[in-house]
Amino acid sequence: MSKNNSLELGKLSEQLQMIASAVDDVAQVYQGDAIALLSLLRQLEQLHRDIRDGVFQESLPDNRQKLYSLLKDIESEGGWPYIGRMRLQAFLANFPPEATEEDSKQTNSDEVLDSDRSHKC
């Protein structure tokens, strides 16, 4: 690795750390505000998509040697970047059991009321 390339990687690493710190700061400011944090996650996902579909694809290797180097880096550095979404079951696991029981009781009572209304018509 050349000295110039090493300097560029150091600069990139520093910039990435600043971005990560800024995102973490925003997340901490809005801790407890699910709507704001969801907005942050959506923005990060959109940035990921924009970079992947834009400048990353334009930067893909045009020969075997560069492609091999890229694939080797992907393999050695942890694979392909992916932004996963929370599964609904994991999302619902955050609710206390009382809340889900109350919701269930409310749904059942609403169904009974709707059923009574339909029989009276």
Side-chain angles (χ1 to χ4, degrees), residues 12 17 21-22 25 82 85 90 95 109 119:
L12 173 62
Q17 185 56 46
S21 181
D25 290 348
Y82 172 75
R85 292 192 174 113
F95 288 101
S109 65
H119 290 299

Side-chain angles (χ1 to χ4, degrees), residues 10-100:
K11 184 177 177 182
L12 173 62
S13 180
E14 187 178 307
Q15 289 174 325
L16 291 174
Q17 185 56 46
M18 287 173 39
I19 292 167
S21 181
V23 170
D24 188 52
D25 290 348
V26 170
Q28 293 302 316
V29 167
Y30 291 98
Q31 186 175 358
D33 185 343
I35 299 295
L37 293 170
L38 184 60
S39 181
L40 174 63
L41 289 171
R42 286 178 177 146
Q43 182 64 51
L44 291 170
E45 182 182 24
Q46 184 61 48
L47 286 169
H48 177 267
R49 192 177 305 119
D50 290 347
I51 292 168
R52 182 197 62 209
D53 295 344
V55 294
F56 178 73
Q57 282 193 6
E58 294 167 6
S59 301
L60 287 174
D62 56 0
N63 66 46
R64 284 188 203 165
Q65 192 174 20
K66 290 178 183 176
L67 177 60
Y68 176 77
S69 178
L70 175 64
L71 293 175
K72 188 175 171 184
D73 183 77
I74 289 171
E75 184 178 333
S76 68
E77 295 298 323
W80 191 258
Y82 172 75
I83 297 181
R85 292 192 174 113
M86 181 182 268
R87 297 195 181 277
L88 187 55
Q89 288 179 334
F91 180 75
L92 293 176
N94 292 316
F95 288 101
E98 306 86 45
T100 54

